[in-house]
Amino acid sequence: QVPLKPGRSLMDWIRLTKSGKDLTGLKGRLIEVTEDELSKHNKKEDCWICIRGFVYNVTPYMEYHPGGEDELMKAAGTDGTDLFDQVHRWVNYESMLKECLVGRMAVKPIAAPKVISLACKFVKETLLEGLGLNMFLYAQRNYMFLSLLYFLFYSYDWFQTDSLVTIVIYTKQKDMNAELVIVDCQDKRLRGEIIMDDHSYLVEVDLDHAVSEDVAVNIAEKVGKVEIILSKKDNIHWKMLGQPWEGHNTFIKRTDRGLFYRKCKLVSKTEVTHDTKLFCLMLPKGTHLRVPTGQHVYLKQIIAGTEVVKPYTPVLPFLPLDFQEPPHHDGVHIYLMIKIYSRGVFTQALDHLQIGDYIFVSNPEGNFKKSQVQTSEDLLLLAGGTGFTPMVKLLNFALTEVSCLRTVKLIFFNKTEDDILWRNQLEQLALKDERFEVQFILSQPTKDWVGKQGKISSSLLSEFVKRSRRDSKVLICICGPAPFTEQGVQYLKDLGYSQEEIHAFTA
């Protein structure tokens, strides 16, 4: 993020969009935009960008963009969908830029959908080459073949008794676990999503009849079978499972699916520091959701009629000292540690929520893999402020389940002592487990501070970021404000650590 000029906050932008001012330059007209026409609008004072087939005049938004003008200019006069998905797919651009809509892109001839890479790899390596057939090119180009191909991986069936309906999804995926299954069943709408790396399989229908709020999910991990068990409200024989939604029975990239939200109830809000609070949200009864270690969710609120979305990484309710997740952390609650900014439109709205109020929470996202930790001997965590949040579950997982780890070290950067999150818990954890060490570094300490001081730098990292032995396998995780993370990654590379040894948490 970059500092914005006075009068260029999110709320200022919302006010401008509701002022009635012509933000497109077209006096309310919507036009069809050709690629040639789009390419002409590629300057700061005249900047059009296409996102998912819709063209927006983002010139008025330039000074309000938290990422700065240069980020927007990367997509000036072009289709910026891929760039948008890479940087901030979670932003509700339709709501934020609705007054900047120029029109649709002119329709081009429809090309065959992209190949599902995993499926084609399977066909190439196990079917075609195994049979000695040179048909991979056929597999890539023949859409009818591909449209059936994912059934080699995923399919579903359903059956019923007088009181139950069971949907069975056959994933053919070994090591299937609860974190890879997301189920939502509210108001007769059933949505079951199975995650497979960057793809997912979806079952989504309007059920034929009403069911109770309680939903059971059974997973046969070794064979990859998932059962979603619903209780009928009435002992009626169903003629069909229900009416399918558009994405029903599809296996596609997760980025092509869009984010799904459910309403969660705020059940508690407790103070962590002078400006940071721990929010506890309760999932709906019909939801099965486990946020994997190192992944984040998005919170969505309607502020002054505009949808605003921000990413947050769930934490535990506290740092367990016996290295077991607390028994009440059972998948029913999501805990979020959130810093409340005095001029932050979104966090101020969060802070004003009352117990019992609702907020929308998305499916988990993120590219962190537990296997990165499971093969490491040294785990080094660099956190700046609330960049500490992904480290909470990571610490618990590492100290509980990764036996090959020799050292786990947290280097925690803050402005003052009052800003340090869970300081006492971290110090107790260091006393409890000899593998764990924590180092606090302050940039604005008082004269009484006897610890290290300064900001993230090459010299500080060279002092604290070290392997336990010369050839040990190391993983360094870093999270904080964007400049902190970007500078930290560069310093680490300058110190000789490879890209494979560094994981930067971003959203």
Side-chain angles (χ1 to χ4, degrees), residues 85-217:
D85 284 342
Q86 290 170 19
V87 180
H88 38 26
R89 182 169 82 90
W90 45 275
V91 173
N92 190 327
Y93 65 92
E94 297 104 321
S95 180
M96 294 286 287
L97 299 176
K98 59 187 176 183
E99 300 303 327
C100 300
L101 180 63
V102 171
R104 284 180 178 269
M105 285 296 293
V107 178
K108 296 192 300 182
I110 298 175
K114 291 181 179 180
V115 174
I116 298 173
S117 57
L118 293 173
C120 285
K121 184 174 185 289
F122 173 83
V123 171
K124 180 177 185 292
E125 294 179 356
T126 64
L127 295 183
L128 303 181
E129 290 179 358
L131 295 171
L133 300 176
N134 186 16
M135 295 172 62
F136 188 52
L137 187 61
Y138 170 79
Q140 285 181 309
R141 293 182 176 175
N142 191 311
Y143 172 54
M144 183 171 285
F145 177 81
L146 287 174
S147 66
L148 299 174
L149 197 54
Y150 69 85
F151 285 108
L152 293 169
F153 299 89
Y154 289 82
S155 60
Y156 84 98
D157 201 355
W158 71 283
F159 57 88
Q160 62 182 310
T161 64
D162 287 343
S163 59
L164 300 175
V165 171
T166 301
I167 298 94
V168 183
I169 302 172
Y170 305 95
T171 72
K172 317 289 194 301
Q173 183 175 342
K174 293 180 181 178
D175 301 321
M176 175 60 58
N177 63 71
E179 292 182 348
L180 302 177
V181 180
I182 305 171
V183 177
D184 289 274
C185 187
Q186 279 94 35
D187 301 323
K188 290 181 65 177
R189 180 184 181 183
L190 172 69
R191 187 183 192 278
E193 186 172 1
I194 312 295
I195 308 301
M196 182 178 176
D197 294 324
D198 59 350
H199 287 70
S200 76
Y201 175 73
L202 184 67
V203 171
E204 187 172 25
V205 295
D206 276 329
L207 296 168
D208 203 31
H209 296 280
V211 295
S212 69
E213 291 181 321
D214 295 315
V215 175
V217 177

Side-chain angles (χ1 to χ4, degrees), residues 367-382:
N367 57 6
F368 182 80
K369 299 287 190 297
K370 285 182 178 178
S371 57
Q372 296 171 258
V373 184
Q374 290 166 327
T375 56
S376 299
E377 295 167 287
D378 300 325
L379 177 62
L380 304 170
L381 311 175
L382 309 180

Side-chain angles (χ1 to χ4, degrees), residues 313 381-391 477-481 484-485 503-506:
T313 303
L381 311 175
L382 309 180
T386 49
F388 168 66
T389 55
M391 311 307 178
C477 296
I478 182 168
C479 187
F484 172 91
T485 303
H503 180 88
F505 288 102
T506 57

Side-chain angles (χ1 to χ4, degrees), residues 318-323 388 395 399 408 410 412 420-440:
F318 50 82
L319 272 179
L321 299 181
D322 57 357
F323 314 121
F388 168 66
L395 271 174
L399 294 173
V408 180
L410 171 65
F412 198 177
I420 301 174
L421 303 168
W422 282 358
R423 179 179 179 178
N424 290 338
Q425 293 189 49
L426 288 167
E427 290 174 338
Q428 288 180 47
L429 185 59
L431 292 172
K432 186 82 174 181
D433 192 318
E434 61 184 11
R435 294 171 298 170
F436 176 64
E437 178 186 347
V438 61
Q439 180 71 52
F440 302 114

Side-chain angles (χ1 to χ4, degrees), residues 35 38-43 47-50 75-79:
E35 285 189 3
L38 176 63
S39 66
K40 295 175 183 177
H41 301 269
N42 61 358
K43 302 177 181 63
C47 182
W48 290 8
I49 292 176
C50 173
T78 67
D79 188 329

